[in-house]
Short mmCIF file of all heavy atoms in Angstrom, two decimals:
data_model
loop_
_atom_site.label_atom_id
_atom_site.label_comp_id
_atom_site.label_asym_id
_atom_site.label_seq_id
_atom_site.Cartn_x
_atom_site.Cartn_y
_atom_site.Cartn_z
N LYS A 1331 -1.65 2.19 -9.15
CA LYS A 1331 -2.87 1.72 -8.49
C LYS A 1331 -4.12 2.46 -8.96
O LYS A 1331 -5.23 2.08 -8.63
CB LYS A 1331 -2.73 1.85 -6.96
CG LYS A 1331 -1.66 0.94 -6.41
CD LYS A 1331 -1.51 1.10 -4.91
CE LYS A 1331 -0.39 0.18 -4.43
NZ LYS A 1331 -0.11 0.35 -3.03
N GLY A 1332 -3.94 3.51 -9.75
CA GLY A 1332 -5.07 4.29 -10.24
C GLY A 1332 -5.72 3.75 -11.50
O GLY A 1332 -6.74 4.27 -11.96
N ILE A 1333 -5.09 2.71 -12.10
CA ILE A 1333 -5.67 2.09 -13.29
C ILE A 1333 -5.95 0.61 -12.99
O ILE A 1333 -5.55 0.10 -11.95
CB ILE A 1333 -4.74 2.21 -14.52
CG1 ILE A 1333 -3.44 1.41 -14.32
CG2 ILE A 1333 -4.45 3.68 -14.84
CD1 ILE A 1333 -2.60 1.24 -15.58
N ILE A 1334 -6.61 -0.04 -13.91
CA ILE A 1334 -6.82 -1.48 -13.79
C ILE A 1334 -5.51 -2.15 -14.21
O ILE A 1334 -5.11 -2.06 -15.37
CB ILE A 1334 -8.00 -1.95 -14.68
CG1 ILE A 1334 -9.26 -1.15 -14.39
CG2 ILE A 1334 -8.22 -3.45 -14.54
CD1 ILE A 1334 -9.73 -1.17 -12.94
N ARG A 1335 -4.85 -2.79 -13.26
CA ARG A 1335 -3.52 -3.35 -13.52
C ARG A 1335 -3.62 -4.78 -14.04
O ARG A 1335 -3.12 -5.71 -13.44
CB ARG A 1335 -2.67 -3.25 -12.26
CG ARG A 1335 -2.39 -1.81 -11.88
CD ARG A 1335 -1.56 -1.68 -10.66
NE ARG A 1335 -2.30 -2.17 -9.50
CZ ARG A 1335 -1.79 -2.36 -8.30
NH1 ARG A 1335 -0.53 -2.10 -8.07
NH2 ARG A 1335 -2.54 -2.80 -7.31
N ASN A 1336 -4.25 -4.91 -15.17
CA ASN A 1336 -4.42 -6.20 -15.82
C ASN A 1336 -3.40 -6.26 -16.97
O ASN A 1336 -3.42 -5.39 -17.85
CB ASN A 1336 -5.86 -6.31 -16.34
CG ASN A 1336 -6.11 -7.57 -17.13
OD1 ASN A 1336 -5.53 -7.77 -18.19
ND2 ASN A 1336 -6.99 -8.40 -16.63
N LYS A 1337 -2.54 -7.25 -16.93
CA LYS A 1337 -1.46 -7.35 -17.90
C LYS A 1337 -1.98 -7.33 -19.34
O LYS A 1337 -1.46 -6.61 -20.19
CB LYS A 1337 -0.67 -8.65 -17.64
CG LYS A 1337 0.49 -8.85 -18.57
CD LYS A 1337 1.23 -10.14 -18.23
CE LYS A 1337 2.42 -10.33 -19.15
NZ LYS A 1337 3.15 -11.56 -18.84
N LEU A 1338 -3.02 -8.10 -19.61
CA LEU A 1338 -3.56 -8.17 -20.97
C LEU A 1338 -4.15 -6.83 -21.41
O LEU A 1338 -3.99 -6.43 -22.57
CB LEU A 1338 -4.60 -9.28 -21.09
CG LEU A 1338 -4.08 -10.71 -20.92
CD1 LEU A 1338 -5.23 -11.71 -20.98
CD2 LEU A 1338 -3.03 -11.03 -21.99
N LYS A 1339 -4.82 -6.14 -20.50
CA LYS A 1339 -5.42 -4.85 -20.85
C LYS A 1339 -4.35 -3.78 -21.10
O LYS A 1339 -4.49 -2.96 -22.00
CB LYS A 1339 -6.40 -4.40 -19.77
CG LYS A 1339 -7.67 -5.25 -19.74
CD LYS A 1339 -8.64 -4.82 -18.66
CE LYS A 1339 -9.87 -5.70 -18.65
NZ LYS A 1339 -10.84 -5.30 -17.61
N ILE A 1340 -3.30 -3.81 -20.32
CA ILE A 1340 -2.21 -2.84 -20.52
C ILE A 1340 -1.51 -3.11 -21.85
O ILE A 1340 -1.30 -2.18 -22.64
CB ILE A 1340 -1.22 -2.89 -19.33
CG1 ILE A 1340 -1.89 -2.30 -18.08
CG2 ILE A 1340 0.08 -2.14 -19.67
CD1 ILE A 1340 -1.10 -2.50 -16.79
N GLN A 1341 -1.17 -4.36 -22.11
CA GLN A 1341 -0.51 -4.71 -23.37
C GLN A 1341 -1.43 -4.41 -24.56
O GLN A 1341 -0.99 -3.96 -25.61
CB GLN A 1341 -0.08 -6.17 -23.35
CG GLN A 1341 1.05 -6.42 -22.38
CD GLN A 1341 1.38 -7.90 -22.20
OE1 GLN A 1341 0.53 -8.77 -22.37
NE2 GLN A 1341 2.62 -8.17 -21.83
N SER A 1342 -2.71 -4.65 -24.37
CA SER A 1342 -3.70 -4.38 -25.41
C SER A 1342 -3.74 -2.90 -25.76
O SER A 1342 -3.86 -2.53 -26.93
CB SER A 1342 -5.08 -4.85 -24.94
OG SER A 1342 -6.08 -4.39 -25.80
N THR A 1343 -3.64 -2.04 -24.75
CA THR A 1343 -3.66 -0.60 -25.00
C THR A 1343 -2.51 -0.18 -25.90
O THR A 1343 -2.69 0.59 -26.85
CB THR A 1343 -3.62 0.18 -23.66
OG1 THR A 1343 -4.78 -0.17 -22.90
CG2 THR A 1343 -3.58 1.68 -23.88
N ILE A 1344 -1.34 -0.72 -25.64
CA ILE A 1344 -0.17 -0.40 -26.46
C ILE A 1344 -0.34 -0.95 -27.88
O ILE A 1344 -0.12 -0.26 -28.87
CB ILE A 1344 1.12 -0.92 -25.79
CG1 ILE A 1344 1.30 -0.25 -24.42
CG2 ILE A 1344 2.34 -0.69 -26.69
CD1 ILE A 1344 2.29 -0.94 -23.50
N ASN A 1345 -0.76 -2.19 -27.96
CA ASN A 1345 -1.02 -2.81 -29.26
C ASN A 1345 -2.08 -2.02 -30.03
O ASN A 1345 -1.93 -1.74 -31.23
CB ASN A 1345 -1.46 -4.26 -29.09
CG ASN A 1345 -1.95 -4.85 -30.39
OD1 ASN A 1345 -1.18 -5.10 -31.30
ND2 ASN A 1345 -3.25 -5.04 -30.50
N ASN A 1346 -3.18 -1.69 -29.37
CA ASN A 1346 -4.26 -0.99 -30.04
C ASN A 1346 -3.84 0.40 -30.53
O ASN A 1346 -4.32 0.87 -31.55
CB ASN A 1346 -5.50 -0.91 -29.15
CG ASN A 1346 -6.18 -2.27 -29.01
OD1 ASN A 1346 -5.80 -3.25 -29.66
ND2 ASN A 1346 -7.18 -2.34 -28.15
N ALA A 1347 -2.93 1.02 -29.80
CA ALA A 1347 -2.41 2.32 -30.26
C ALA A 1347 -1.68 2.15 -31.59
O ALA A 1347 -1.85 2.96 -32.51
CB ALA A 1347 -1.46 2.91 -29.21
N LYS A 1348 -0.91 1.07 -31.71
CA LYS A 1348 -0.19 0.81 -32.97
C LYS A 1348 -1.18 0.56 -34.11
O LYS A 1348 -1.00 1.08 -35.22
CB LYS A 1348 0.74 -0.39 -32.79
CG LYS A 1348 1.89 -0.12 -31.83
CD LYS A 1348 2.68 -1.37 -31.54
CE LYS A 1348 3.76 -1.07 -30.50
NZ LYS A 1348 4.49 -2.27 -30.08
N GLN A 1349 -2.21 -0.22 -33.84
CA GLN A 1349 -3.21 -0.53 -34.87
C GLN A 1349 -4.02 0.73 -35.23
O GLN A 1349 -4.38 0.94 -36.39
CB GLN A 1349 -4.15 -1.64 -34.41
CG GLN A 1349 -3.48 -2.91 -33.93
CD GLN A 1349 -2.30 -3.37 -34.77
OE1 GLN A 1349 -2.38 -3.39 -35.99
NE2 GLN A 1349 -1.20 -3.71 -34.12
N PHE A 1350 -4.28 1.55 -34.23
CA PHE A 1350 -5.01 2.81 -34.42
C PHE A 1350 -4.26 3.70 -35.41
O PHE A 1350 -4.85 4.28 -36.32
CB PHE A 1350 -5.15 3.50 -33.06
CG PHE A 1350 -6.09 4.66 -33.01
CD1 PHE A 1350 -7.42 4.48 -32.67
CD2 PHE A 1350 -5.64 5.96 -33.26
CE1 PHE A 1350 -8.29 5.55 -32.60
CE2 PHE A 1350 -6.50 7.04 -33.20
CZ PHE A 1350 -7.84 6.83 -32.85
N LEU A 1351 -2.93 3.78 -35.24
CA LEU A 1351 -2.10 4.59 -36.13
C LEU A 1351 -2.13 4.05 -37.56
O LEU A 1351 -2.13 4.83 -38.53
CB LEU A 1351 -0.66 4.65 -35.62
CG LEU A 1351 -0.47 5.38 -34.28
CD1 LEU A 1351 0.98 5.21 -33.80
CD2 LEU A 1351 -0.83 6.85 -34.38
N LEU A 1352 -2.18 2.73 -37.71
CA LEU A 1352 -2.27 2.14 -39.05
C LEU A 1352 -3.59 2.51 -39.72
O LEU A 1352 -3.61 2.78 -40.93
CB LEU A 1352 -2.10 0.62 -38.97
CG LEU A 1352 -0.72 0.12 -38.57
CD1 LEU A 1352 -0.73 -1.40 -38.40
CD2 LEU A 1352 0.32 0.55 -39.60
N ILE A 1353 -4.66 2.52 -38.96
CA ILE A 1353 -5.96 2.92 -39.52
C ILE A 1353 -5.92 4.40 -39.91
O ILE A 1353 -6.42 4.78 -40.97
CB ILE A 1353 -7.11 2.62 -38.54
CG1 ILE A 1353 -7.39 1.12 -38.54
CG2 ILE A 1353 -8.37 3.40 -38.90
CD1 ILE A 1353 -8.48 0.67 -37.61
N GLN A 1354 -5.32 5.23 -39.07
CA GLN A 1354 -5.19 6.65 -39.42
C GLN A 1354 -4.44 6.81 -40.73
O GLN A 1354 -4.83 7.62 -41.58
CB GLN A 1354 -4.45 7.42 -38.31
CG GLN A 1354 -5.27 7.69 -37.08
CD GLN A 1354 -4.49 8.48 -36.04
OE1 GLN A 1354 -3.31 8.23 -35.81
NE2 GLN A 1354 -5.16 9.41 -35.40
N LYS A 1355 -3.38 6.05 -40.90
CA LYS A 1355 -2.58 6.14 -42.12
C LYS A 1355 -3.40 5.69 -43.33
O LYS A 1355 -3.37 6.33 -44.39
CB LYS A 1355 -1.32 5.28 -41.97
CG LYS A 1355 -0.35 5.41 -43.10
CD LYS A 1355 0.93 4.64 -42.82
CE LYS A 1355 1.91 4.83 -43.97
NZ LYS A 1355 3.16 4.10 -43.75
N GLU A 1356 -4.16 4.60 -43.18
CA GLU A 1356 -4.94 4.06 -44.29
C GLU A 1356 -6.13 4.94 -44.67
O GLU A 1356 -6.42 5.14 -45.85
CB GLU A 1356 -5.43 2.65 -43.94
CG GLU A 1356 -6.24 2.00 -45.04
CD GLU A 1356 -6.72 0.60 -44.70
OE1 GLU A 1356 -6.23 0.00 -43.72
OE2 GLU A 1356 -7.61 0.10 -45.42
N PHE A 1357 -6.85 5.46 -43.67
CA PHE A 1357 -8.09 6.19 -43.92
C PHE A 1357 -7.98 7.71 -43.77
O PHE A 1357 -8.95 8.42 -44.01
CB PHE A 1357 -9.19 5.68 -42.97
CG PHE A 1357 -9.65 4.29 -43.28
CD1 PHE A 1357 -8.99 3.20 -42.74
CD2 PHE A 1357 -10.74 4.06 -44.11
CE1 PHE A 1357 -9.40 1.90 -43.02
CE2 PHE A 1357 -11.16 2.77 -44.39
CZ PHE A 1357 -10.48 1.69 -43.85
N GLY A 1358 -6.83 8.19 -43.32
CA GLY A 1358 -6.66 9.61 -43.08
C GLY A 1358 -6.97 10.00 -41.65
O GLY A 1358 -6.41 10.95 -41.12
N SER A 1359 -7.85 9.25 -41.02
CA SER A 1359 -8.18 9.44 -39.60
C SER A 1359 -8.95 8.21 -39.12
O SER A 1359 -9.56 7.50 -39.93
CB SER A 1359 -9.03 10.69 -39.39
OG SER A 1359 -10.31 10.54 -39.98
N PHE A 1360 -8.90 7.98 -37.83
CA PHE A 1360 -9.73 6.91 -37.27
C PHE A 1360 -11.20 7.30 -37.38
O PHE A 1360 -12.06 6.46 -37.61
CB PHE A 1360 -9.35 6.64 -35.81
CG PHE A 1360 -10.02 5.41 -35.25
CD1 PHE A 1360 -9.49 4.15 -35.50
CD2 PHE A 1360 -11.17 5.50 -34.48
CE1 PHE A 1360 -10.11 3.00 -34.98
CE2 PHE A 1360 -11.79 4.37 -33.97
CZ PHE A 1360 -11.25 3.11 -34.22
N ASP A 1361 -11.47 8.59 -37.25
CA ASP A 1361 -12.82 9.12 -37.40
C ASP A 1361 -13.42 8.70 -38.75
O ASP A 1361 -14.55 8.21 -38.80
CB ASP A 1361 -12.78 10.65 -37.27
CG ASP A 1361 -14.12 11.29 -37.53
OD1 ASP A 1361 -15.06 11.04 -36.76
OD2 ASP A 1361 -14.21 12.06 -38.50
N ALA A 1362 -12.69 8.89 -39.83
CA ALA A 1362 -13.19 8.52 -41.16
C ALA A 1362 -13.48 7.03 -41.23
O ALA A 1362 -14.49 6.60 -41.81
CB ALA A 1362 -12.18 8.92 -42.23
N TYR A 1363 -12.61 6.23 -40.63
CA TYR A 1363 -12.80 4.77 -40.61
C TYR A 1363 -14.06 4.37 -39.83
O TYR A 1363 -14.94 3.71 -40.36
CB TYR A 1363 -11.55 4.10 -40.02
CG TYR A 1363 -11.79 2.68 -39.57
CD1 TYR A 1363 -11.85 1.64 -40.48
CD2 TYR A 1363 -11.96 2.38 -38.21
CE1 TYR A 1363 -12.09 0.33 -40.07
CE2 TYR A 1363 -12.18 1.08 -37.79
CZ TYR A 1363 -12.26 0.06 -38.71
OH TYR A 1363 -12.49 -1.23 -38.30
N ILE A 1364 -14.14 4.81 -38.58
CA ILE A 1364 -15.20 4.30 -37.70
C ILE A 1364 -16.57 4.82 -38.12
O ILE A 1364 -17.57 4.10 -38.07
CB ILE A 1364 -14.88 4.56 -36.21
CG1 ILE A 1364 -15.69 3.62 -35.30
CG2 ILE A 1364 -15.11 6.01 -35.81
CD1 ILE A 1364 -15.30 2.17 -35.40
N TRP A 1365 -16.64 6.06 -38.55
CA TRP A 1365 -17.93 6.63 -38.95
C TRP A 1365 -18.38 6.14 -40.32
O TRP A 1365 -19.56 6.27 -40.68
CB TRP A 1365 -17.89 8.16 -38.86
CG TRP A 1365 -18.07 8.62 -37.45
CD1 TRP A 1365 -17.09 8.88 -36.53
CD2 TRP A 1365 -19.30 8.84 -36.78
NE1 TRP A 1365 -17.64 9.25 -35.33
CE2 TRP A 1365 -19.01 9.24 -35.46
CE3 TRP A 1365 -20.64 8.75 -37.15
CZ2 TRP A 1365 -19.99 9.53 -34.52
CZ3 TRP A 1365 -21.63 9.05 -36.23
CH2 TRP A 1365 -21.29 9.44 -34.92
N SER A 1366 -17.47 5.53 -41.09
CA SER A 1366 -17.87 4.98 -42.39
C SER A 1366 -18.84 3.82 -42.23
O SER A 1366 -19.62 3.52 -43.14
CB SER A 1366 -16.64 4.55 -43.19
OG SER A 1366 -16.05 3.37 -42.64
N PHE A 1367 -18.82 3.17 -41.07
CA PHE A 1367 -19.72 2.05 -40.83
C PHE A 1367 -21.19 2.49 -40.79
O PHE A 1367 -22.09 1.67 -40.97
CB PHE A 1367 -19.36 1.33 -39.51
CG PHE A 1367 -18.14 0.48 -39.62
CD1 PHE A 1367 -16.90 0.98 -39.24
CD2 PHE A 1367 -18.20 -0.83 -40.09
CE1 PHE A 1367 -15.75 0.20 -39.33
CE2 PHE A 1367 -17.06 -1.62 -40.18
CZ PHE A 1367 -15.84 -1.10 -39.80
N VAL A 1368 -21.42 3.78 -40.55
CA VAL A 1368 -22.80 4.31 -40.50
C VAL A 1368 -22.98 5.46 -41.50
O VAL A 1368 -23.88 6.29 -41.33
CB VAL A 1368 -23.18 4.77 -39.06
CG1 VAL A 1368 -23.29 3.57 -38.12
CG2 VAL A 1368 -22.19 5.80 -38.51
N ASN A 1369 -22.13 5.50 -42.52
CA ASN A 1369 -22.20 6.57 -43.52
C ASN A 1369 -22.22 7.96 -42.88
O ASN A 1369 -22.95 8.84 -43.32
CB ASN A 1369 -23.39 6.38 -44.45
CG ASN A 1369 -23.26 5.11 -45.27
OD1 ASN A 1369 -22.19 4.80 -45.76
ND2 ASN A 1369 -24.35 4.37 -45.40
N ASN A 1370 -21.45 8.10 -41.79
CA ASN A 1370 -21.31 9.38 -41.07
C ASN A 1370 -22.61 9.90 -40.48
O ASN A 1370 -22.71 11.10 -40.20
CB ASN A 1370 -20.66 10.44 -41.97
CG ASN A 1370 -19.27 10.03 -42.38
OD1 ASN A 1370 -18.44 9.69 -41.54
ND2 ASN A 1370 -19.01 10.02 -43.67
N LYS A 1371 -23.58 9.03 -40.26
CA LYS A 1371 -24.86 9.45 -39.70
C LYS A 1371 -25.18 8.59 -38.47
O LYS A 1371 -25.31 7.37 -38.59
CB LYS A 1371 -25.96 9.31 -40.74
CG LYS A 1371 -27.28 9.88 -40.29
CD LYS A 1371 -28.29 9.89 -41.41
CE LYS A 1371 -29.50 10.67 -40.97
NZ LYS A 1371 -30.67 9.96 -40.74
N PRO A 1372 -25.31 9.21 -37.29
CA PRO A 1372 -25.61 8.44 -36.09
C PRO A 1372 -26.92 7.66 -36.21
O PRO A 1372 -27.86 8.11 -36.86
CB PRO A 1372 -25.72 9.50 -34.99
CG PRO A 1372 -25.06 10.71 -35.53
CD PRO A 1372 -25.21 10.65 -37.02
N ILE A 1373 -26.94 6.52 -35.57
CA ILE A 1373 -28.16 5.71 -35.49
C ILE A 1373 -28.93 6.15 -34.25
O ILE A 1373 -28.36 6.22 -33.16
CB ILE A 1373 -27.80 4.22 -35.36
CG1 ILE A 1373 -27.05 3.74 -36.59
CG2 ILE A 1373 -29.04 3.37 -35.10
CD1 ILE A 1373 -26.38 2.39 -36.40
#
C-alpha cells in the first residue's frame, strides 16, 4: 500500500530495469548514455 499499485507501472519498472542494464552494457553506464544527449553539459 506504500507504492502506486498500478499493474502497468509495476511491470514497467521491471521491464525498464532490464532495458537500463542493456544501455549500461552498450554505453558503459546509463550516465554516459543519458548525458550524451547534452554533450555532458546541463542546459
Side-chain angles (χ1 to χ4, degrees):
K1331 295 179 182 176
I1333 66 168
I1334 306 303
R1335 295 180 294 170
N1336 175 296
K1337 181 179 181 180
L1338 294 177
K1339 290 179 181 181
I1340 290 170
Q1341 291 172 333
S1342 169
T1343 298
I1344 299 164
N1345 171 70
N1346 288 354
K1348 293 173 184 175
Q1349 307 318 314
F1350 192 92
L1351 294 173
L1352 292 175
I1353 285 179
Q1354 285 181 320
K1355 187 174 182 180
E1356 180 180 347
F1357 291 86
S1359 67
F1360 189 82
D1361 175 64
Y1363 162 77
I1364 201 68
W1365 280 92
S1366 72
F1367 285 95
V1368 292
N1369 296 318
N1370 298 308
K1371 187 173 189 250
I1373 297 166

